[in-house]
Amino acid sequence: MATGDSSPSHFELPKKMVEFLSEKWEITSFHPPQVESLPIVLSGKNLLLAAPTASGKTLVAQLAIIKKLIETEPGSRAVYIVPLKALASEKVSEMEELAEPFGLKVGIGIGDRNNENSGLDDSDIVVCTSEKFDSLLRNRPKFLERVSIVIADEVHLVNDASRGPTLEVNLARIMLEIPHAQIVALSATVGNAQVVADWLQAE
């Protein structure tokens, strides 16, 4: 792809999405990490996107979700795993803005209290912490059935002594139980990117 071809219209995105990006978010060109990674995720392949903070990793993940739920596997659902409750609320707001024009519903799961969970059964996109995702897998055996794409934000935390094991088990279960599901892992600080990518069978 030529360097001048960084406009959203040059990528395999739904036409409505291209219009949304330019009109609502005023995005008329993508950053280099996005230009490089979007063809991979939009074709349905697993990806580990290791790039600096503020380079647009989240947008790549969001566009992969919309592509999957609108064009590739309509009727399926996405899971967006984040490490912190505060981050989950932020991602839900962003995701709702992007999902609304397509009639997609966003849910959240971040704890055990009722006010920390919404739309877990009927949402198209569920944003949750790693711990809540683990709980969902244990308590709702059919939760993974419709899942076609999983985003693992801050995937370097797989190496964290306290939170790493849960994230590692979650990703291992996804690969084992729904091997067809696309995994998009994001990190600004992963040191051994190739090793993690190999484990996730990702580019």
Side-chain angles (χ1 to χ4, degrees):
M1 189 173 288
T3 49
D5 293 350
S6 61
S7 153
S9 60
H10 283 98
F11 296 81
E12 298 287 318
L13 288 165
K15 184 168 178 286
K16 196 173 176 181
M17 173 56 65
V18 175
E19 291 168 358
F20 174 90
L21 290 174
S22 65
E23 292 168 16
K24 295 281 194 266
W25 285 3
E26 299 181 351
I27 295 172
T28 54
S29 65
F30 290 127
H31 299 311
Q34 296 171 325
V35 170
E36 202 175 331
S37 56
L38 276 168
I40 298 169
V41 292
L42 296 178
S43 70
K45 294 175 184 168
N46 291 354
L47 173 76
L48 168 58
L49 178 50
T53 301
S55 60
K57 295 187 294 296
T58 297
L59 183 60
V60 171
Q62 291 169 331
L63 295 180
I65 287 173
I66 300 296
K67 172 81 173 181
K68 181 72 80 172
L69 302 192
I70 294 301
E71 285 191 350
T72 319
E73 292 188 51
S76 65
R77 73 188 327 201
V79 174
Y80 201 122
I81 303 173
V82 296
L84 303 169
K85 289 183 179 184
L87 194 59
S89 305
E90 185 184 304
K91 295 297 178 197
V92 166
S93 299
E94 289 176 6
M95 210 64 242
E96 281 177 337
E97 199 176 340
L98 201 58
E100 192 206 6
F102 298 93
L104 297 173
K105 189 177 173 191
V106 183
I108 186 170
I110 55 173
D112 296 323
R113 295 196 294 270
N114 287 338
N115 65 347
E116 294 182 316
N117 305 294
S118 164
L120 293 178
D121 293 314
D122 58 351
S123 294
D124 306 289
I125 303 160
V126 176
V127 179
C128 58
T129 57
S130 200
E131 290 78 12
K132 184 61 183 181
F133 185 66
D134 180 59
S135 168
L136 288 170
L137 295 189
R138 294 171 194 275
N139 298 310
R140 301 179 190 223
K142 296 188 174 181
F143 183 77
L144 285 180
E145 279 183 2
R146 279 177 53 218
V147 174
S148 63
I149 179 169
V150 176
I151 312 299
D153 205 357
E154 311 284 359
V155 74
H156 54 270
L157 289 173
V158 83
N159 192 43
D160 181 82
S162 61
R163 316 192 76 170
T166 305
L167 179 58
E168 184 175 350
V169 167
N170 287 342
L171 291 171
R173 282 192 67 174
I174 289 160
M175 291 188 283
L176 179 69
E177 295 180 29
I178 47 169
H180 63 278
Q182 182 180 8
I183 296 175
V184 181
L186 311 174
S187 176
T189 61
V190 65
N192 55 343
Q194 192 57 58
V195 173
V196 177
D198 289 347
W199 174 58
L200 296 171
Q201 296 164 24
E203 294 198 19

